[in-house]
Every structure is written in C-alpha cells, then in structure tokens.
Amino acid sequence: MRLSPVVLALGLAASSFAVPVIGQKPDNQIAPKSIEFQQKGEAAFAAGKLMEADDALETALAVDPRNRGAFVTMARVAMKQKLFGQAIRLTNKALQLEPTDRDALSVQGTAMVELGADARAKEVLAKLQKVCASGCPQLAELNAAITRGPTLAQAKPPAGTPKKN
C-alpha cells in the first residue's frame, strides 16, 4: 500500500515523456501522389479548366495536407474565379506551413489589393521585401499589383439611381 503512490507517480512521469512516432515523415517530404495531383491541377489551371484544377488540387491536399504548392495554386484558381477572400484563406494555410513562402505572400497580397485592403497588402509587401532582400519576381508582381490597384470595376450606380439600404 505504501508503494502505490510512488509507483503511480513514476508511472505518470514515465507516460508524460514524448515518445517518437515510428515511420513519421519529416515536414518537408510531400507524398508523391499529392505532387502528382498538384501537377495535374496546375496543368488544368494553365489550360483554363478551373473546376478540374480545383478538383485535382483538393485531392492533392486530401492525400497530403502539408502540400503548400497545392494551397497556393488553389488560391490562384480562386483569384481567377474572383473569390479573393477564399484566396487569402488558402494562402494563410500555406503560410502556416511556411511563413516565408514567396508565392503565397505574393498571391495573398494581390488578393488583398483586389479587395481594396491596400494597407494590408503593403504589410505583406514589407514581409516579402524581408524574404526577398535581393529582389525576386514575386516582389515585383506584388509591387505592380499595389501600384495598379484593384482591377475590379468599382461599380457605381448610374446617376439618379436610389441607393439600397
């Protein structure tokens, strides 16, 4: 009876130590099947087949949810569909995996410009400038998007049209 608390304490201490998981992959190894679906999605996106691209990229993420490239390409598909909020959410997921992903930062900043969030886009530009100290194409792309401004026509009602409340 006197040993029970000691044995219980030792058992609790032993169970709290981290146990390595056998067969766990490092974070930088993406499943080959996921890469294959990502490439199919990128090819469909390049061909303008947005639904096929989206399906293939979702499958790539179902196979391996650590595939940053699939998140970024899905964000580009969302941008083509003018779903800028979704593009920002997808790039956030990519940036959770790798906060310095240049492509994700560029797409996210461009989506923010399209939504009219210029101040936030400039914050993303500052992050990208730190990542690309010597310059990179993504930096130039985001800088051009900020300079250009939103491409969506700011739809103003014709003169004399009553405003909706």
Side-chain angles (χ1 to χ4, degrees):
M1 286 296 229
R2 289 186 218 176
L3 292 177
S4 293
V6 173
V7 171
L8 184 61
L10 287 175
L12 184 60
S15 67
S16 66
F17 288 116
V19 179
V21 177
I22 298 172
Q24 187 176 7
K25 293 180 184 178
D27 285 345
N28 61 356
Q29 283 185 343
I30 305 298
K33 196 70 170 168
S34 179
I35 303 263
E36 180 182 324
F37 279 109
Q38 178 189 351
Q39 290 170 345
K40 286 180 183 178
E42 288 171 349
F45 176 66
K49 299 176 181 178
L50 301 181
M51 294 303 285
E52 288 180 30
D54 201 38
D55 289 343
L57 294 164
E58 283 182 12
T59 304
L61 290 170
V63 171
D64 194 341
R66 297 171 297 151
N67 189 339
R68 286 192 333 260
F71 279 120
V72 174
T73 305
M74 276 186 75
R76 286 191 171 113
V77 170
M79 292 276 293
K80 281 283 191 189
Q81 297 171 327
K82 301 195 182 330
L83 301 172
F84 305 115
Q86 182 176 352
I88 292 170
R89 283 189 296 280
L90 289 165
T91 54
N92 278 338
K93 291 180 180 182
L95 291 169
Q96 286 175 348
L97 295 169
E98 177 57 53
T100 60
D101 187 323
R102 295 173 182 180
D103 290 327
L105 286 168
S106 176
V107 172
Q108 184 179 66
T110 304
M112 288 176 178
V113 167
E114 293 298 334
L115 286 175
D118 291 337
R120 300 272 316 269
K122 288 177 183 176
E123 290 173 13
V124 173
L125 180 66
K127 287 180 192 175
L128 196 54
Q129 286 171 335
K130 289 178 185 174
V131 173
C132 299
S134 61
C136 60
Q138 296 89 344
L139 183 61
E141 178 183 320
L142 180 54
N143 203 12
I146 290 172
T147 303
R148 176 189 73 235
T151 57
L152 292 176
Q154 300 296 331
K156 293 183 181 179
T161 305
K163 292 183 180 181
K164 293 182 182 179
N165 289 333

